[in-house]
Amino acid sequence: MLRVGLTGGMGAGKSTASTALADLGATIVDSDRIAREVVAPGTPGLAALVEAFGPEILAGDGSLDRAALAGRAFRDDESRATLNAITHPRVGERTAELLAAAAPDAIVVQDIPLLVENQLAPLFHLVIVVGADESTRVHRLVTHRGVDEADARSRIATQATDEQRRAVADVWLDNSGPPGSLSPVITALWAERLVPYERNVRTATAAPSSAEPVSANPEWPAQAQRLIGRLRLACGASAQRIEHVGPTAQRVAAPDLLELVVTVADDDAVRSLTEPLTAAGFPPADGTGRRHGSADPGRPATVELRVSVNAS
Ligand SMILES: CC(C)(COP(=O)(O)OP(=O)(O)OC[C@H]1O[C@@H](n2cnc3c(N)ncnc32)[C@H](O)[C@@H]1O)[C@@H](O)C(=O)NCCC(=O)NCCS
Ligand SMILES: Nc1ncnc2c1ncn2[C@@H]1O[C@H](COP(=O)(O)OP(=O)(O)OP(=O)(O)O)[C@@H](O)[C@H]1O
């Protein structure tokens, strides 16, 4: 299974992108939709909201009056934190159930508005961010979706900035163009990156890289930081240190291959990391267990497991 995180500010075009990905065969797990399910009538989630925000958030038929809750919850940080504390753990549990039920060869796209705010990026093999500037987003929400402008702006003000989203974006989809302009970009991303990436993860195959030097890419350090975030999560306490080394760290012309080094205590740690690294998209590149590659055809990398000199 390939896990892809899809995010973007309110009104950027996440739903538009996720519909295009679903048409290509992705399994969509939509956090906004799950957030609705977990507060449906009769759920403990709805009871908890009523306890926190009062019976005024209920409509006449006992269901949640979403506008009434939004009016209270987005009023100040404390209220929003109360809302998040009730909904987010429940969204997380339901998400885990849906992931467990997905096919082993699925490309699962999780549409998560608050992916950056909740620091979820390292959970995914790839993070896609849909971007458009704030005035464009607000204009679209007001004209196409009938959203109140002040409500849109106050929610956006509580969300991550585009700079914070750029830091986690393996892929940035610019949706400031006309309707339909995202579609060919998404089709190419699907065929050239997501499909082979999923196959590589499932078959524990490292993506090939070219030995041809390219000019220095200023994005290399940021790309390496994203991989380091995933490696940190996969290695847990077994990693003493994770570093970006070699010419791509020094930003000089070199083959487009990120070199990462994970320092571990001993050979047992090396062996114990084969499985979690493979699942995280870093399959073994040779039989020693000490050299791994990247399954992502769009971001070749090597991961060397180095036993700390103090221990040996
Ligand atoms: C307060 C609620 C009932 C308002 O419902 P409404 O129909 O107006 O909005 P909807 O759920 O369709 O969300 C639309 C957009 O608002 C933004 N938004 C929603 N919740 C939040 C939040 N807690 N913090 C910041 N932005 C939010 C997101 O960009 C989202 O895509 C609803 O947003 C909610 O239950 N929010 C809490 C759950 C949540 O955090 N969902 C977002 C991702 S898990
Ligand atoms: N390129 C585009 N040009 C014009 N309108 C667009 C474009 N892309 C999306 N829209 C419209 O803008 C609105 C917001 O898009 P969409 O619902 O996909 O955003 P979203 O990120 O999922 O929003 P939310 O955060 O509220 O869930 C929709 O009405 C959509 O039809």
Side-chain angles (χ1 to χ4, degrees):
M1 184 202 298
L2 189 75
R3 281 184 76 180
V4 177
L6 174 68
T7 194
M10 185 180 184
K14 292 178 301 298
S15 309
T16 308
S18 95
T19 303
L21 287 160
D23 288 346
L24 292 162
T27 300
I28 308 295
V29 174
D30 178 339
S31 295
D32 273 344
R33 191 168 156 185
I34 297 172
R36 284 190 167 76
E37 273 177 39
V38 299
V39 296
T43 57
L46 184 57
L49 286 178
V50 172
E51 195 177 326
F53 292 100
E56 299 80 11
I57 62 160
L58 291 177
D61 64 358
S63 68
L64 178 64
D65 178 342
R66 305 182 67 80
L69 174 58
R72 285 172 172 68
F74 294 120
R75 198 162 39 194
D76 56 64
D77 287 349
E78 199 186 325
S79 306
R80 195 167 44 86
T82 303
L83 169 70
N84 290 345
I86 293 170
T87 52
H88 290 179
R90 292 176 164 89
V91 171
E93 277 169 34
R94 181 68 187 133
T95 301
E97 285 171 14
L98 292 172
L99 289 177
D105 63 350
I107 297 177
V108 177
V109 174
Q110 291 181 238
D111 178 343
I112 309 186
L114 304 181
L115 182 147
V116 175
E117 293 79 351
N118 292 340
Q119 299 173 326
L120 303 176
L123 288 173
F124 301 96
H125 292 108
L126 193 82
V127 171
I128 302 175
V129 178
V130 185
D133 62 36
E134 185 175 323
S135 56
T136 307
R137 285 154 48 198
V138 171
H139 178 75
R140 287 177 186 162
L141 287 167
V142 171
T143 54
H144 303 307
R145 293 231 313 245
V147 174
D148 174 69
E149 176 167 349
D151 178 34
R153 287 203 189 273
S154 73
R155 286 193 209 191
I156 286 171
T158 71
Q159 297 184 346
T161 61
D162 270 355
E163 194 188 345
Q164 291 168 319
R165 291 198 185 95
R166 276 191 193 276
V168 305
D170 298 293
V171 176
W172 181 272
L173 293 179
D174 177 13
N175 189 31
S176 46
S181 53
L182 271 189
S183 175
V185 184
I186 290 178
T187 302
L189 175 69
W190 177 264
E192 291 161 19
R193 194 159 182 184
L194 300 185
V195 169
Y197 194 174
E198 182 286 317
R199 191 173 50 233
N200 287 343
V201 170
R202 185 164 32 89
T203 59
T205 306
S209 64
S210 165
E212 203 61 44
V214 296
S215 49
N217 180 349
E219 291 296 315
W220 278 333
Q223 292 174 355
Q225 285 311 311
R226 292 194 276 275
L227 300 197
I228 287 173
R230 295 182 177 115
L231 289 168
R232 221 175 254 131
L233 184 66
C235 297
S238 299
Q240 295 178 338
R241 244 187 357 262
I242 308 182
E243 293 152 301
H244 177 205
V245 301
T248 59
Q250 287 140 22
R251 299 186 221 192
V252 294
D256 189 10
L257 180 71
L258 298 182
E259 293 172 58
L260 301 159
V261 175
V262 180
T263 305
V264 298
D266 51 31
D267 284 326
D268 281 349
V270 171
R271 277 187 290 278
S272 75
L273 288 177
T274 303
E275 200 273 326
L277 284 174
T278 304
F282 302 99
D286 64 18
T288 67
R290 291 195 179 206
R291 209 176 147 76
H292 290 246
S294 159
D296 179 3
R299 188 46 280 164
T302 61
V303 179
E304 186 199 333
L305 299 187
R306 203 173 277 172
V307 174
S308 136
V309 268
N310 296 339
S312 52

